[in-house]
Amino acid sequence: MDPCDGAESEPQQCPSLDLKGGCPGATPLQRRLESVRRQSAPCVPPTPRRRIPQCSQLQEYSRLLNAFFTTEKQKGLAVEVGEDLSITVTFSTLLGVRGTQRDPDALLVQVLSKSALPSAGRAGKVLWTGWLCCVCGDSLLRAVSQDFTCLPLLLANGAESNTAIIGTWFQKTFDCYVSPLAISAFNLSWMAAMWTACKTDSCVATTELLWSVPCSPQSLDISYAIHSEDARALWDSVHKTPGEVTQEEVDLFMHCLESHFYRHFRIHLSATKLVRVSTSVASAHTDGKIKVSVNRPYILPRCRTVTVYTPHCRAVTVYTPRAAGL
Amino acid sequence: MSVLRPLDKLPGLNTATVLLVGTDDAVLQQLADSMLQKNCTSELRVHLAMSLPLPSSLSRPRIDLVVFVINLHSKYSLQNVEKSLCHVDASYFLGKVCFLATGAGRESHCSVHQNTVARLAHTYRSPLLLCDLEVEDFRATMAQRLVRMLQICAGHVPGVSAMSLLSLLRSSESPFLEDL
């Protein structure tokens, strides 16, 4: 995703660093995946890789996943006459979702339901969307061989059952492991600071932080809501280095909020666990669910599949596919 | 304000005392129990404290080793340790202090980055030990290590002093710390 206005982020520690060390013997599938590298935009000098039209590989994956998906969906169900479970799965490359030139192109996987009626048009309803991407993955790409395409992050939007089916297919086909990405409290505090720094046109939402206190018999949840303007003012007073966000600034920002809370309630929020951060730009939960408000049309530039931008929140769940055995 | 000094009291005969400083009382207690269970030729004494300064007490023996326990899940424990460090005399940092960071195993619960603690240990020129104190086996191993360190700091191991142990540990530090 593009960095927010005026605030470049330090590369965050990616928890999916387990995808290291490599593939001693590339399987035929991995070699085929290697050729799924589309040429970059024409203004960039062509990379010295062989030009193979990757449409055929992606179509093959679409066909395989389509068959797997249909089989899984129809397992145990009696196929009714007349009901047409016509689902298509499409693979395509997603331009623009990358951090550096070294990052491979992102992949977009979509599950569309084809309507039986021809009048409804060829493009059916999108049931599930997933992006496989690698953003600023230099530390990972250093450890893998040149002909290996490494896409460690899977962003899924749709029903959990579909995510599970597609995750299983990826695990079987590419020998990886797909698991939910737990976002640590450390990373959530960074997100709180960076998203507060973003300029938004609409400041209707308040900035809300949720802490979880593990105490018996049941855990206590503390919700701390601040008006976005106040949060932004606090960040502006803390932020000294233009163009970058430092650890000290993030710590100071969180410390100010926590000490203000302590002054009123005598509870040390720093001893508890931050589980959710919700700002007007986006919100993230520690179990990997991220919501991005899509009313900013430049959050997903050059993304071919999204054509209509509506002011609503789209929830995505973040997964990490990791190489098996690591 | 009383400052902890290493040489302001006379040593006890064959006695080695360690002070564990940390906010999580239950974890410190378990670590203390593990340490006391270890076979050791010296007589071990373990003192626990939430923070420094300690209340002045004449009956407290000389502290040979101070271990600051930082829970990576809680920023509060890091802040607590940082405040307590002011009450320790500088001569303790010649090998008689070490930092113990716990909770690195569950990365999703971490509020404090490992680099922060590594930088703190580097600033105070003291070793940093990483251990998941909630796992019993790791705790037992760490207790064994601490008992050995304590014996050296109390001077019960002939030929090895706290300073020489510190220089040995420092030479095996990862090179990235030199860039901090």
Side-chain angles (χ1 to χ4, degrees):
Chain A
M1 304 240 177
D2 285 342
C4 306
D5 295 341
E8 281 171 24
S9 60
E10 286 180 7
Q12 293 190 32
Q13 187 189 34
C14 177
S16 64
L17 269 174
D18 295 324
L19 184 60
K20 268 199 260 225
C23 44
T27 64
L29 275 165
Q30 285 168 347
R31 273 187 239 117
R32 283 211 300 252
L33 191 58
E34 162 267 318
S35 52
V36 176
R37 290 189 71 95
R38 170 183 273 237
Q39 203 72 342
S40 306
C43 59
V44 174
T47 56
R49 296 179 191 277
R50 36 192 188 124
R51 265 182 182 253
I52 285 186
Q54 41 72 267
C55 292
S56 54
Q57 270 77 23
L58 291 184
Q59 274 171 9
E60 192 178 332
Y61 295 140
S62 308
R63 196 179 49 79
L64 289 168
L65 181 51
N66 210 351
F68 183 81
F69 198 84
T70 321
T71 321
E72 287 291 317
K73 278 286 184 185
Q74 287 178 340
K75 228 187 235 183
L77 294 171
V79 181
E80 293 171 11
V81 175
E83 183 188 320
D84 190 14
L85 187 73
S86 49
I87 287 179
T88 45
V89 178
T90 56
F91 270 71
S92 50
T93 49
L94 191 61
L95 295 176
V97 183
R98 65 190 337 176
T100 62
Q101 259 323 96
R102 263 195 84 179
D103 290 332
D105 280 321
L107 272 180
L108 177 70
V109 181
Q110 276 192 311
V111 176
L112 304 156
S113 73
K114 257 190 311 205
S115 179
L117 304 165
S119 60
R122 280 180 304 164
K125 199 169 70 128
V126 175
L127 295 177
W128 188 90
T129 314
W131 306 330
L132 276 161
C133 58
C134 178
V135 179
C136 296
D138 290 330
S139 50
L140 281 177
L141 295 173
R142 258 198 305 254
V144 296
S145 59
Q146 281 286 325
D147 53 356
F148 189 65
T149 306
C150 179
L151 298 166
L153 201 61
L154 168 65
L155 296 145
N157 177 8
E160 284 275 338
S161 55
N162 294 340
T163 311
I165 294 172
I166 292 174
T168 315
W169 182 81
F170 271 106
Q171 286 179 176
K172 282 190 189 160
T173 316
F174 295 107
D175 192 24
C176 63
Y177 183 69
V178 180
S179 69
L181 175 68
I183 306 178
S184 68
F186 175 77
N187 289 333
L188 283 175
S189 60
W190 265 87
M191 289 176 190
M194 290 200 295
W195 291 342
T196 307
C198 287
K199 295 187 186 66
T200 51
D201 302 321
S202 65
C203 298
V204 287
T206 54
T207 301
E208 191 191 324
L209 298 131
L210 188 71
W211 275 271
S212 163
V213 185
C215 55
S216 56
Q218 58 189 141
S219 65
L220 178 72
D221 285 332
I222 298 175
S223 167
Y224 185 177
I226 326 153
H227 199 268
S228 301
E229 297 277 353
D230 297 335
R232 180 74 212 218
L234 174 64
W235 174 254
D236 287 337
S237 65
V238 161
H239 185 54
K240 295 285 182 291
T241 49
E244 67 171 4
V245 176
T246 63
Q247 179 67 54
E248 285 80 18
E249 289 169 0
V250 175
D251 284 341
L252 188 53
F253 179 72
M254 295 303 294
H255 180 72
C256 292
L257 296 174
E258 287 162 2
S259 59
H260 179 78
F261 193 86
Y262 179 73
R263 202 180 314 132
H264 290 278
F265 296 103
R266 294 288 170 215
I267 294 178
H268 285 285
L269 283 174
S270 47
T272 62
K273 184 185 162 201
L274 180 61
V275 296
R276 187 163 174 266
V277 166
S278 168
T279 63
S280 50
V281 172
S283 80
H285 195 280
T286 191
D287 60 7
K289 291 196 167 42
I290 297 181
K291 283 191 194 173
V292 180
S293 59
V294 210
N295 55 354
R296 301 180 64 201
Y298 42 89
I299 272 190
L300 302 168
R302 296 169 285 164
C303 179
R304 297 184 302 179
T305 55
V306 180
T307 51
V308 176
Y309 300 103
T310 53
H312 67 272
C313 279
R314 176 180 293 183
V316 293
T317 312
V318 183
Y319 288 87
T320 52
R322 289 181 292 194
L326 294 174
Chain B
M1 275 206 298
S2 63
V3 174
L4 211 58
R5 290 181 209 282
L7 298 171
D8 60 348
K9 295 186 184 185
L10 290 174
L13 186 63
N14 205 34
T15 312
T17 312
V18 62
L19 173 67
L20 303 177
V21 181
T23 49
D24 200 344
D25 196 43
V27 165
L28 290 188
Q29 189 67 51
Q30 286 173 332
L31 182 61
D33 292 337
S34 299
M35 284 178 77
L36 291 169
Q37 280 163 13
K38 297 294 167 198
N39 290 331
C40 181
T41 50
S42 327
E43 193 185 311
L44 289 183
R45 293 234 175 99
V46 183
H47 285 244
L48 306 178
M50 281 272 279
S51 65
L52 297 174
L54 297 174
S56 58
S57 157
L58 288 171
S59 60
R60 188 192 321 121
R62 184 179 84 163
I63 307 277
D64 296 305
L65 174 66
V66 183
V67 180
F68 289 102
V69 181
I70 300 170
N71 188 355
L72 290 178
H73 299 179
S74 152
K75 278 190 285 188
Y76 177 61
S77 70
L78 178 67
Q79 289 162 5
N80 182 51
V81 161
E82 283 172 344
K83 276 185 243 167
S84 304
L85 281 164
C86 310
H87 301 281
V88 178
D89 187 51
S91 43
Y92 257 112
F93 296 103
L94 296 172
K96 297 195 177 195
V97 165
C98 87
F99 294 92
L100 178 54
T102 178
R106 287 194 291 172
E107 167 111 31
S108 58
H109 290 242
C110 285
S111 306
V112 178
H113 200 271
Q114 277 186 34
N115 275 356
T116 313
V117 183
R119 199 173 301 187
L120 179 71
H122 184 72
T123 310
Y124 285 93
R125 300 294 190 268
S126 297
L128 171 66
L129 306 171
L130 290 161
C131 172
D132 238 333
L133 290 176
E134 290 171 23
V135 180
E136 202 181 316
D137 292 334
F138 297 160
R139 193 170 60 230
T141 315
M142 183 50 64
Q144 182 67 55
R145 259 184 108 169
L146 288 175
V147 164
R148 196 70 186 140
M149 277 180 75
L150 174 61
Q151 282 187 295
I152 292 171
C153 292
H156 294 182
V157 178
V160 187
S161 71
M163 280 278 292
S164 57
L165 177 66
L166 181 66
S167 56
L168 271 175
L169 288 174
R170 197 183 294 172
S171 61
S172 61
E173 261 174 20
S174 50
F176 86 97
L177 277 177
E178 300 307 317
D179 301 330
L180 287 178

